[in-house]
Amino acid sequence: MRNTGGDRVQEAVAGCVAVLRTATDRDWEGVKAGGLTWSCRDTAFHIAEDLLAYAGQLAGRAQDRYVPFEIVPEDGVDNAGVLDVIETTGALFKATLHTTSREVRAFHPYPFRNANREGFAAMGIAEVLVHTHDIAEGLGLAYEPSAELCEFVLTTIFPHVRPGPAPWPTLLWATGRGELPGRAPVTQWRWHNNLVLPADRLTLEGVTPAAAADLHEGGDGGFEWVDGEPFEGTRVAAGLLLKAYEEGVLRPEFGVFVLVRREDGRAVGGMGFHAAPDEAGEVEIGYDLVEGGRGSGYATEALRTLSTWALARDDVRRILAKVEQDNLPSQRVVTRAGFTKVGEDDGLFIHELRG
């Protein structure tokens, strides 16, 4: 799983331009784009603005706000010229994605105030797809992007949305533009970039359903692993995350995190929650490290970081960690992280940490 999203951006832009070029001789200014208040022309230029803005966020490594710039079309530019701007900004965005390292995160407000290159790629593609739909609807054109593009968007920035019968109608429904059988209409929506928690020597990077699917199927999830691949427990946890996503019960921040070393950007293990907190505020945590990442205190550091984050929330009061009775290194990890042994269950020691 090494696609940075740039090729997908190019595909989305090409599909947008191909369908809209069939109607450049039409009046775009006097026609509203689907259910929007914007005209088709304003919506088309908005696509270009978004593509360049996202490129700017990543290229400028913006951390606290949007980079304060905008683009303005030349006076008298025609509809074909607007499409030229979309193609150009799409190419700039693609190049930025290809040259941005996996560890880079830049400012975006939803929901954790940052996103990585895959997140920005998915947001840019989403803008292209849904707004091309809006314009096509206003102009009476037929348009449907590939299922693969829609699935990339859904599994990257809509992890809280249960998959529907097909990716395109699901994306339209999730963005308030369509209906799905058995689901209430969406009137307000936001996409959901993955949570990242900084530690001392590590970064805990939340796994998206897209990355989880790749891990579960034997891939690397988009990470460079110290031993070449993750430990088996991480693949199992990714499968459980994927199952929760498919059932529509995934709360992404209570999923799986990959532990990435700051010094070289390489992954040393996985850690995460078995499920979201129950009504009593109880949640169980688990972890594993690849062999090359053991013996350096990474698991303890990550467990302290993730536990501190969880217990700072109103919906978490108690964290459980169940460790095999003969696994002395793991018992030392939970003890150093502040957990206390409170019982036994089927060959496991039960440890807890309370807020």
Side-chain angles (χ1 to χ4, degrees):
M1 184 180 174
R2 293 295 182 186
N3 194 318
T4 63
D7 293 339
R8 293 188 176 106
V9 168
Q10 182 181 38
E11 179 186 345
V13 168
C16 162
V17 171
V19 68
L20 297 186
R21 281 209 189 279
T22 65
T24 53
D25 59 339
R26 306 265 292 277
D27 175 17
W28 290 14
E29 191 63 54
V31 178
K32 288 185 178 180
L36 304 182
T37 58
W38 296 337
S39 70
C40 290
R41 184 181 173 86
D42 289 340
T43 304
F45 197 74
H46 174 75
I47 293 174
E49 290 177 314
D50 281 334
L51 293 171
L52 188 61
Y54 291 158
Q57 292 302 99
L58 285 174
R61 306 296 195 261
Q63 296 300 306
D64 302 314
R65 62 174 182 171
Y66 288 113
V67 178
F69 75 99
E70 61 180 9
I71 56 174
V72 179
E74 290 184 352
D75 290 340
V77 64
D78 59 10
N79 295 334
V82 173
L83 295 182
D84 290 340
V85 178
I86 291 176
E87 283 188 309
T88 301
T89 53
L92 291 171
F93 189 29
K94 174 187 175 180
T96 302
L97 291 165
H98 279 322
T99 55
T100 299
S101 64
R102 191 197 56 75
E103 296 81 13
V104 170
R105 298 188 75 84
F107 173 81
H108 190 278
Y110 307 121
F112 303 116
R113 299 185 66 78
N114 59 66
N116 62 8
R117 65 188 182 193
E118 284 78 16
F120 274 106
M123 290 187 289
I125 294 168
E127 294 282 1
V128 174
L129 300 189
V130 300
H131 286 317
T132 302
H133 162 81
D134 296 333
I135 300 168
E137 187 175 59
L139 297 175
L141 304 174
Y143 171 72
E144 182 172 341
S146 72
E148 191 273 340
L149 277 180
C150 301
E151 186 172 13
F152 172 70
V153 171
L154 289 168
T155 56
T156 303
I157 56 173
F158 287 93
H160 51 295
V161 172
R162 176 168 55 91
W168 178 229
T170 303
L171 181 59
L172 290 177
W173 172 82
T175 56
R177 289 171 168 82
E179 298 181 354
L180 282 183
R183 303 196 197 185
V186 172
T187 57
Q188 293 184 324
W189 60 275
R190 296 287 189 196
W191 38 55
H192 195 292
N193 282 292
N194 64 327
L195 173 63
V196 171
L197 300 174
D200 183 19
R201 297 170 298 161
L202 301 171
T203 301
L204 282 64
E205 300 191 16
V207 173
T208 64
D214 187 65
L215 284 168
H216 184 57
E217 293 168 2
D220 58 22
F223 298 90
E224 182 181 353
W225 294 85
V226 167
D227 290 353
E229 63 179 352
F231 204 66
E232 184 60 28
T234 297
R235 296 199 187 281
V236 172
L240 294 174
L241 185 154
L242 191 61
K243 183 174 184 291
Y245 166 69
E246 292 170 346
E247 294 175 351
V249 297
L250 176 64
R251 287 180 60 184
E253 63 271 32
F254 286 101
V256 180
F257 295 80
V258 170
L259 316 183
V260 180
R261 290 196 306 214
R262 288 176 177 267
E263 66 182 55
D264 58 6
R266 301 175 75 187
V268 298
M271 180 173 292
F273 302 98
H274 289 201
D278 61 19
E279 294 181 355
E282 184 175 289
V283 66
E284 185 177 346
I285 201 168
Y287 52 88
D288 66 13
L289 295 182
V290 299
E291 291 187 8
R294 297 173 187 173
S296 300
Y298 292 136
T300 300
E301 179 180 325
L303 185 57
R304 285 173 177 161
T305 299
L306 193 54
S307 298
T308 298
W309 171 83
L311 290 173
R313 299 172 56 96
D314 293 335
D315 54 354
V316 178
R317 298 180 180 85
R318 181 182 185 226
I319 303 176
L320 296 181
K322 297 180 180 180
V323 183
E324 294 176 352
Q325 294 182 3
D326 60 352
N327 190 341
L328 297 181
S330 190
Q331 291 174 37
R332 288 193 289 269
V333 167
V334 295
T335 300
R336 287 195 296 263
F339 283 68
T340 302
K341 188 169 71 173
V342 294
E344 300 180 21
D345 178 29
D346 195 23
L348 301 173
F349 286 141
I350 302 173
H351 297 75
E352 72 167 13
L353 184 65
R354 290 182 176 270

